[in-house]
Amino acid sequence: MTQHSKSWTLKPGAMTLGDLRAVWAAPVKLILAAEAYPVIEASAAAVQAIVAKGDAAYGINTGFGLLAKTRIPDEKLEQLQRNLILSHSVGTGELLSDAVVRLIMLMKIGSLARGYSGVRPLIVDTLIALYNAGIMPAIPAKGSVGASGDLAPLSHMTLAMLGVGDVRVNGELMAAPEALAQAGIAPVVLAAKEGLALINGTQVSNALALHGLFMAERLLEAAMVTGALSLDAAKGSDSPFDARVHAVRGQPGQILAAQMYRQLVAHSAIRASHLEGDERVQDPYSLRCQPQVMGACLDLIGNVGRTLLIEANAVTDNPLIFQDGPNGQAEIVSGGNFHAEPVAFAADTLALAISEIGALAERRIALLIDATLSGLPPFLVRDPGVNSGFMIAHVTAAALASENKSLAHPASVDSLPTSANQEDHVSMATFAGRRLDDMAHNTAVIVGIELLAAAQGIDFHRPLKTSPHLEHVHQQLRQKVPFFDADRFFAPDIEAAKQMVLQGELSSTCKNLFAPLYA
């Protein structure tokens, strides 16, 4: 089973984006803060008191959705919860990645542990045990509309706790009973309300959106690096990055982006070589307006992070147990926190930023291959005509940029009623978050192609050097991809550059420069 390099104590309601990034990036051993257990126990006791009293309470001793008026006898409450999980496990499509599943499990643990969901400590501890053993429930990606919670995918998560279906261990599929037995984890029998508490909630939508957020952060960093490299490759001007220009506008992301660009291009010998005698008055927008565009993306990404962090710490199942009811008694309240509209809006906003990062990078590739604009050899290759150079690599970038424009259409504006019109407006947040992965990979390819093109342009300016930051990036690339001296099988070069973008390698040696992004 999984070996953990470090452990981390989860304090429900107090997770940070840094915590979530760490769990997304690699397995971390979870320990639930001791102070969480009394509130979990009190909430579970309140549910048992409601059952003992015999009053009808939604999700505890009634049916679900439109069947909420159907009273369920006490002797069938465990069967009710098990049936709920089995009947709602209707997902389809590819399985969610381990990184996304870790986020789902972490957020579900944190939500249940806040003590408003009426589950026993056993339920929370079993989820933690699965997580720490590296047993990742096999969760199909499709089948949720983002209200009433992510019912289908969270049901597949819960199946693993019951010892039903498949799980993934070390990347390999395994039958859940076998994996639980190997880890010494006993399957659970769900008590009243526990199944509903496990599958109601926005954790899948939010995990998918967080995955998109963390990918977008890497894309933003990488595209700022490649954009600065393209500026030098095209012998562009750094004057548009002057702090005074951005101060008089006042947009915070733009001001911060301009500061980063100034640092990225500082002390470039290529820039120094054309400070005088350059007949060009202004650069094209894809070079000159980088702080304005990337700064706006930076602001959007920051806003999305704040929304998703709130949701990560939230209690989003239904109904909820409150201990401050009339006469000091626990009260069960039905609401709608499972509706993932905030996540859907956040994911749709993030899609805009991911698309624009790629769109601007594609325009810079087009600029670099156009000898009339860049001053570089046509298509960035010697002996053009015999060699096509970067001609079709740019076509790939254009195709992906166009695809992203279609994918950026907001998912949140759609809704289809479900559950015989009981659930008559839904968020579509799950798709809103899920499509971000495709978009991020598209943009990573575009930025990777720009990295190759800009590095090629820098090579044509030798022996002049670009800035120290950018020289290091150039050297990193050249360790994996040689100078493009003549046409060759190009796809492996593009894949290598894409992986550098996705792994955060372009900013790995200047993390301090990008630290303000995460302030």
Side-chain angles (χ1 to χ4, degrees), residues 413-431:
V413 298
D414 187 34
S415 177
L416 282 173
T418 59
S419 192
N421 284 308
Q422 172 76 2
E423 297 157 6
D424 56 353
H425 182 276
V426 297
S427 71
M428 299 301 177
T430 325
F431 171 65

Side-chain angles (χ1 to χ4, degrees), residues 351-364:
L352 299 178
I354 292 172
S355 181
E356 281 298 273
I357 291 169
L360 195 65
E362 181 276 325
R363 287 292 79 207
R364 291 190 296 266

Side-chain angles (χ1 to χ4, degrees), residues 55-416:
D55 293 342
Y58 175 72
I60 295 178
N61 52 19
T62 72
F64 308 105
L66 200 65
L67 302 175
K69 296 179 181 178
T70 303
R71 182 70 161 78
I72 308 299
D74 289 358
E75 65 272 14
K76 292 187 176 182
L77 293 184
E78 289 182 353
Q79 180 185 346
L80 171 70
Q81 297 299 314
R82 183 178 177 86
N83 286 352
L84 174 71
I85 303 308
L86 297 175
S87 67
H88 284 49
S89 296
V90 293
T92 188
E94 295 183 2
L95 299 182
L96 296 178
S97 69
D98 284 358
V100 171
V101 174
R102 284 196 300 271
L103 286 172
I104 293 168
M105 296 175 76
L106 170 67
M107 291 187 290
K108 179 54 75 173
I109 291 164
S111 178
L112 296 178
R114 287 190 59 185
Y116 296 98
S117 302
V119 305
R120 294 166 294 166
L122 170 68
I123 298 300
V124 178
D125 286 342
T126 300
L127 263 178
I128 293 172
L130 288 171
Y131 178 97
N132 285 339
I135 299 173
M136 299 289 105
I139 303 177
K142 299 181 182 182
S144 175
V145 294
S148 165
D150 292 310
L151 296 171
L154 287 173
S155 293
H156 283 275
M157 178 199 76
T158 307
L159 282 179
M161 302 173 64
L162 306 182
V164 177
D166 291 329
V167 296
R168 194 163 47 210
V169 179
N170 297 323
E172 299 295 329
L173 280 178
M174 180 184 296
E178 179 184 352
L180 267 63
Q182 287 185 8
I185 301 171
V188 299
V189 176
L190 298 172
K193 194 183 180 297
E194 289 178 340
L196 185 60
L198 282 160
I199 71 172
N200 234 194
T202 63
Q203 287 79 27
V204 174
S205 295
N206 209 47
L208 289 165
L210 282 166
H211 172 71
L213 172 71
F214 301 147
M215 296 276 277
E217 291 171 346
R218 291 187 176 180
L219 293 172
L220 184 75
E221 290 184 0
M224 292 180 77
V225 171
T226 59
L229 201 62
S230 290
L231 182 81
D232 246 7
K235 286 192 171 181
S237 172
D238 58 355
S239 295
F241 305 154
D242 189 309
R244 295 169 295 179
V245 172
H246 308 283
V248 297
R249 191 179 201 184
Q251 293 288 352
Q254 178 180 325
I255 292 169
L256 182 55
Q259 173 189 320
M260 293 176 179
Y261 280 112
R262 289 195 301 274
Q263 293 173 290
L264 282 169
V265 301
H267 311 300
S268 165
I270 296 174
R271 173 57 179 145
S273 72
H274 62 98
L275 277 170
E276 297 180 4
D278 194 331
E279 295 180 353
R280 295 172 298 178
V281 177
Q282 291 184 325
D283 293 326
Y285 291 177
S286 60
L287 298 179
R288 189 185 353 147
C289 297
Q290 290 186 76
Q292 287 80 2
V293 177
M294 300 300 279
C297 292
L298 192 161
D299 282 334
L300 284 186
I301 290 170
N303 289 337
V304 167
R306 284 184 283 275
T307 296
L308 298 184
L309 178 59
I310 292 170
E311 196 74 3
N313 284 300
V315 180
T316 55
D317 61 290
N318 176 65
L320 299 176
I321 311 295
F322 294 96
Q323 303 292 345
D324 58 355
N327 302 316
Q329 299 296 310
E331 184 178 9
I332 185 164
V333 180
S334 289
N337 281 357
F338 50 71
H339 199 297
E341 196 82 347
V343 179
F345 282 164
D348 283 346
T349 302
L350 194 56
L352 299 178
I354 292 172
S355 181
E356 281 298 273
I357 291 169
L360 195 65
E362 181 276 325
R363 287 292 79 207
R364 291 190 296 266
I365 299 167
L367 183 156
L368 291 174
I369 66 173
D370 186 343
T372 62
L373 292 174
S374 68
L376 295 165
F379 302 107
L380 298 171
V381 69
R382 297 189 180 103
D383 200 9
V386 173
N387 294 303
S388 294
F390 280 70
M391 180 188 297
I392 307 304
H394 169 248
V395 172
T396 295
L400 297 178
S402 178
E403 182 176 310
N404 273 356
K405 292 174 186 177
S406 295
L407 287 171
H409 179 82
S412 57
V413 298
D414 187 34
S415 177
L416 282 173

